Amino acid sequence: MSGIICLEVCMVSTIEICGGKRLGGETAVQGSKNAVLPVLAATLLNQSESIIHNCPDLADVRTSFRIIEELGGRVYYSGHTAIVNTENVNVTKIPDSLMSSARSSVLFLGAMLSRLRYAEVTRPGGCAIGLRPIDLHIKAFRELGAEIDETGGKLYCSLENFKPGIIDLPFPSVGATENIMLISAVSRGETVITNAACEPEIICLQEFLNEMGADIRGAGSEKIYISGVEKLRKVEYTIISDRIFAATCAAAAACCGGDVLLKNTEPSHMRLMLSMLRDAGCRVSCNDDSVRIRACDRLRGLGKIITAPYPGFPTDMQPQIAVVLGISEGTSTVTESIFENRFKYVGELARMGANFKVESNIAIIGGIENYTGARVNAPDLRAGAALVIAGLAAEGITVVDDIYYIERGYEEFEKKLASLGAVIEKVSTEKEIQKFTLKVS
Ligand code: EPZ
């Protein structure tokens, strides 16, 4: 066996921060990543045009665009509006590279089975915050009449006859709830989901599908009723605001001190997070579509925080609130009850002087005066955003590597923070990487 080593030059980006600046001013909140992704999968169902406004420009969204185009659809995207036409969708395979690059790729499975009656996919990718199985999706599809065979790491799925019924979810899985809605919207009979996820993104998907002509009721509660319809039509829809993006910016303002106005947001989607910032000592005021956060003194600890399905404390805000608590008074604990591996950022924060101890799924956080700037790696999307927040508050310079994770969910995050007075920039440099190509003679 022989091989050749070649050098490849690629661009590597980092976020560099000079910390210690108070934040002030106003910024607009992006459209919701976790709302637009199931909506993009749903565009397969109307075999027509879908015009989607407030669509954020994110890596995961662009992955969904590419999946739609691979299946035979067309996508035009400009100025946060996506025009999707799925009239000619007829391909039943999603390339492994696209399936493995985002968790949301699995949401195309329900729509493909409904539209094409067949789908050949691999398991989805996504942030490595846990095993992230799809057993609840597969179990529900089988109960609804699908045949799913897994061999060689591929899922061969077919749907001859849809069998409406009651799907009892053992856990209010967001993705499984969305996939059941997608496979059942165009069908016959009534399908009911019990113990459904109640997130605002589920309500958004129901609204989008009903705008297309579906007949779905109950989203936002634990029971969703889907009366199958024969056909869906062209639709124009505006995606809700991203509650996690907004809450992340609120956590940054709390951590750095200052006075920040978040516009184009939905305060009712982040009620618990805002009440926690008030308990910690921030002044929070809300209008219909904006939130103002003022923080000046050192914040108080919050005792015990446990992540839970909506309307509980969102797991997607766990790293960010932990970073706020890391420089608040006293000791707090954060229990991660949704994912089994969502504390990977604790090691990176320790390099910034944080006093965290993790026992099983509980982080015990001893508040310190402040973080010290360091070079750190983003281990996943939300942890990456949390490390940026820590850098904004820290004394000195912080450099965050692997920021592609952050760009999966935060549109121009560093520019938005800079517009609020942070000294932060994205730095791209060329990096030579050795690539070894095996030559089997
Ligand atoms: C969605 O992921 C979100 N992603 C996640 O946001 C979010 O953290 C999560 O919901 C919980 O709110 C998108 O919407 C694209 P789940 P999803 O199914 O659907 C287990 C972010 O940062 N489970 O509710 O994958 C699973 O392992 C991302 O924006 C099974 O066991 O979440 C986890 O422990 C991260 N079997 C729990 O349920 C299944 O078949 C919650 O998963 C499915 C899930």
Side-chain angles (χ1 to χ4, degrees):
M1 246 183 322
S2 63
I4 47 169
I5 292 179
C6 59
L7 287 179
E8 232 180 57
V9 175
C10 65
M11 292 309 285
V12 173
S13 297
T14 58
I15 283 181
E16 303 193 3
I17 306 159
C18 176
K21 309 289 182 283
R22 292 168 65 79
L23 298 185
E26 60 183 55
T27 190
V29 175
Q30 68 184 40
S32 166
K33 166 181 87 82
N34 290 349
V36 75
L37 293 171
V39 159
L40 286 170
T43 62
L44 264 57
L45 298 174
N46 69 355
Q47 308 188 34
S48 177
E49 187 174 81
S50 303
I51 302 172
I52 302 164
H53 300 296
N54 202 26
C55 177
D57 185 5
L58 299 167
D60 279 10
V61 169
R62 292 192 291 275
T63 297
S64 287
F65 289 167
R66 285 172 43 216
I67 290 176
I68 291 167
E69 289 169 339
E70 284 288 338
L71 298 179
R74 290 196 316 277
V75 180
Y76 172 77
Y77 182 66
S78 168
H80 294 114
T81 291
I83 301 175
V84 182
N85 190 306
T86 60
E87 191 180 354
N88 300 320
V89 162
N90 61 1
V91 173
T92 57
K93 290 184 188 178
I94 296 178
D96 301 359
S97 59
L98 292 179
M99 278 306 291
S100 60
S101 60
R103 173 73 179 179
S104 50
S105 57
V106 73
L107 297 174
F108 282 90
L109 194 45
M112 287 170 75
L113 284 174
S114 172
R115 169 79 186 269
L116 305 166
R117 300 292 178 202
Y118 183 79
E120 207 173 296
V121 298
T122 52
R123 286 174 174 274
C127 282
I129 51 180
L131 284 175
R132 306 195 78 180
I134 56 169
D135 56 318
L136 301 182
H137 301 240
I138 291 172
K139 180 173 179 291
F141 287 157
R142 284 180 171 144
E143 287 173 13
L144 294 168
E147 301 274 328
I148 299 182
D149 175 38
E150 184 165 12
T151 41
K154 269 206 180 282
L155 293 171
Y156 300 90
C157 315
S158 61
L159 181 64
E160 290 300 314
N161 300 304
F162 181 81
K163 284 192 302 188
I166 299 175
I167 305 293
D168 301 305
L169 285 177
F171 176 86
S173 156
V174 171
T177 300
E178 291 164 344
N179 242 336
I180 296 164
M181 292 165 75
L182 290 167
I183 195 174
S184 310
V186 178
S187 70
R188 54 175 183 74
E190 179 172 76
T191 295
V192 181
I193 309 171
T194 67
N195 197 23
C198 302
E199 275 72 0
E201 293 78 31
I202 305 287
I203 298 172
C204 187
L205 179 60
Q206 171 178 287
E207 285 178 354
F208 180 78
L209 288 166
N210 287 347
E211 280 293 305
M212 283 174 150
D215 180 1
I216 304 175
R217 307 175 314 286
S221 76
E222 293 171 0
K223 241 181 178 179
I224 298 178
Y225 301 84
I226 304 135
S227 299
V229 297
E230 219 167 293
K231 196 168 163 39
L232 297 178
R233 58 177 179 262
K234 177 174 175 175
V235 65
E236 182 161 7
Y237 185 75
T238 299
I239 296 294
I240 57 171
S241 170
D242 191 317
R243 59 192 171 99
I244 304 298
F245 182 98
T248 302
C249 294
C255 230
C256 300
D259 183 349
V260 167
L261 179 68
L262 300 173
K263 299 188 304 178
N264 306 349
T265 188
E266 178 52 72
S268 67
H269 290 169
M270 44 188 183
R271 203 189 311 263
L272 187 53
M273 175 72 194
L274 296 179
S275 70
M276 282 183 176
L277 291 180
R278 286 192 187 96
D279 294 348
C282 295
R283 283 189 293 158
V284 179
S285 48
C286 303
N287 280 330
D288 291 347
D289 65 351
S290 67
V291 173
R292 184 178 177 190
I293 303 98
R294 280 165 284 181
C296 41
D297 309 320
R298 188 168 181 221
L299 298 177
R300 298 185 287 271
L302 289 171
K304 192 185 286 186
I305 292 179
I306 303 175
T307 64
Y310 194 90
F313 187 82
T315 175
D316 291 349
M317 277 302 301
Q318 182 261 91
Q320 299 93 311
I321 197 71
V323 160
V324 173
L325 295 170
I327 53 172
S328 301
E329 285 163 8
T331 300
S332 306
T333 64
V334 172
T335 302
E336 174 55 59
S337 68
I338 305 289
F339 290 105
E340 60 271 28
N341 191 16
R342 203 162 202 175
F343 286 123
K344 286 187 296 186
Y345 61 90
V346 169
E348 298 303 308
L349 263 187
R351 299 156 56 80
M352 300 178 75
N355 173 18
F356 281 48
K357 203 163 97 198
V358 176
E359 289 171 2
S360 174
N361 66 333
I362 302 173
I364 300 139
I365 304 167
I368 60 172
E369 273 303 310
N370 196 1
Y371 298 114
T372 310
R375 183 155 199 144
V376 291
N377 289 303
D380 59 66
L381 161 55
R382 304 301 177 186
L387 290 170
V388 168
I389 294 175
L392 292 172
E395 281 148 29
I397 303 294
T398 296
V399 177
V400 182
D401 286 313
D402 299 336
I403 65 165
Y404 53 86
Y405 282 116
I406 300 172
E407 292 172 334
R408 294 185 47 194
Y410 292 87
E411 183 181 337
E412 297 193 323
F413 193 37
E414 76 286 347
K415 285 185 183 163
K416 295 232 173 197
L417 292 168
S419 72
L420 295 173
V423 179
I424 180 173
E425 63 171 341
K426 183 166 103 171
V427 177
S428 296
T429 49
E430 286 189 351
K431 187 177 176 186
E432 279 189 351
I433 50 171
Q434 282 194 358
K435 285 200 86 169
F436 178 71
T437 316
L438 192 65
K439 267 174 72 180
V440 181
S441 41

